[in-house]
Amino acid sequence: MPKEVPACPVEMTLQLIGNKWKVLIIRDLLEGTKRFNELMHSVTGITQKVLTSNLRSMEETGLLTRKVYPEVPPRVEYTLTETGYSLKPILDSMVMWGTEYKKNFV
């Protein structure tokens, strides 16, 4: 959880998912557990360093869990937590809004 919690709920939400990469990671994890390389390929344009940083941040804030399997090479899987899944209605609303916007303005 962030050290300083904003008083405004909208600001709190933006602090947790307020960048393009986190929203796209959540979008992909809503489909189910994914491995690191699967996320690298599905989140177009993200670098390994940025993906790693965002995944760590999301794990720290309780949006996802990380499971490491003791294999060579190591296998790591990421899964949304219940809190992470609770963001689904927000992403669904973004899909509806984006679809309407594209229909009317693009």
Side-chain angles (χ1 to χ4, degrees), residues 3-65:
K3 291 181 181 175
E4 291 197 26
V5 177
C8 173
V10 173
E11 187 178 349
M12 179 77 250
T13 304
L14 287 173
Q15 193 172 61
L16 290 172
I17 64 164
N19 77 45
K20 158 183 157 176
W21 302 120
K22 288 180 182 176
V23 172
L24 295 177
I25 292 166
I26 292 166
R27 174 202 65 190
D28 290 350
L29 290 176
L30 282 169
E31 298 172 3
T33 300
K34 298 233 187 273
R35 293 173 68 172
F36 185 87
N37 283 336
E38 290 176 299
L39 289 169
M40 272 298 298
H41 289 95
S42 64
V43 182
T44 307
I46 197 167
T47 65
Q48 185 173 343
K49 180 180 178 181
V50 171
L51 178 58
T52 299
S53 173
N54 278 279
L55 289 169
R56 284 184 183 153
S57 171
M58 294 169 73
E59 183 180 16
E60 288 171 11
T61 57
L63 297 178
L64 59 81
T65 58

